[in-house]
Amino acid sequence: MENMGIVLALTGIVLAAILPGLGSARGVGIAGQAAAAAVTEDPSLFAKVLLLQLLPGTQGIYGLLVAFIGMGSIQLFSTPIDLTLAQGLGFLAACLPVAIVGLLSAISQARVSISSINMIAKQPDQLSKAMIFPAMVETYAIFSLLISLLAVTNVIKIPV
């Protein structure tokens, strides 16, 4: 029970890395299927649809960023600091926004990217408009990143 704070913090850090990564892998994969179909019909669309395919991959990057900063905050790379149960719970809670929103938004963004890829397949000159739709989903992933970063960098300041 004495190490429960660090266990909870590491659980949050692992969730921040894994869940958005899973969402991004799924999202990039399903968007890639649509991109491949579009490029099969018109190889000149490759660069345009590649951009749309890659957008759901950003959530995995956001999760890794929170995980690395979280590991630095608890000094995991040197001698980990002792965390109270409250601080450990704080770390877990701090990692949940990017973990959950990252997972779900990557998959949602992929669905929107697929629609945008289909739009580009029919109207190749509409890339700027097609990029806006999945970028709107990205906004919420960025919000969750910001909340998690602010929380992870301040959680050890929780008075006990």
Side-chain angles (χ1 to χ4, degrees):
M1 191 69 169
E2 66 189 56
N3 295 324
M4 203 57 181
I6 195 76
V7 169
L8 289 170
L10 288 173
T11 300
I13 288 167
V14 167
L15 288 174
I18 290 175
L19 294 180
L22 288 171
S24 286
R26 174 85 174 119
V28 170
I30 61 176
Q33 291 172 337
V39 171
T40 299
E41 295 295 320
D42 183 356
S44 70
L45 296 176
F46 177 76
K48 292 178 180 180
V49 299
L50 180 64
L51 288 172
L52 291 164
Q53 181 207 356
L54 293 175
L55 282 175
T58 57
Q59 285 85 340
I61 296 167
Y62 300 159
L64 281 175
L65 180 63
V66 169
F68 282 128
I69 290 174
M71 287 187 287
S73 293
I74 62 171
Q75 300 173 6
L76 191 63
F77 302 116
S78 56
T79 304
I81 60 174
D82 289 328
L83 296 175
T84 65
L85 182 61
Q87 289 169 323
L89 282 170
F91 259 97
L92 177 59
C95 292
L96 289 179
V98 79
I100 295 168
V101 175
L103 170 68
L104 299 176
S105 69
I107 296 168
S108 295
Q109 189 175 40
R111 291 184 180 130
V112 177
S113 289
I114 289 168
S115 296
S116 292
I117 289 167
N118 291 333
M119 179 180 165
I120 293 300
K122 293 178 182 171
Q123 299 177 18
D125 60 325
Q126 298 298 313
L127 179 62
S128 59
K129 291 178 183 172
M131 292 285 289
I132 291 171
F133 301 121
M136 297 307 296
V137 180
E138 185 79 20
T139 303
Y140 296 94
I142 292 170
F143 290 161
S144 71
L145 167 67
L146 292 174
I147 290 299
S148 285
L149 284 177
L150 287 171
V152 162
T153 56
N154 289 296
V155 76
I156 57 174
K157 299 174 186 171
I158 295 173
V160 213

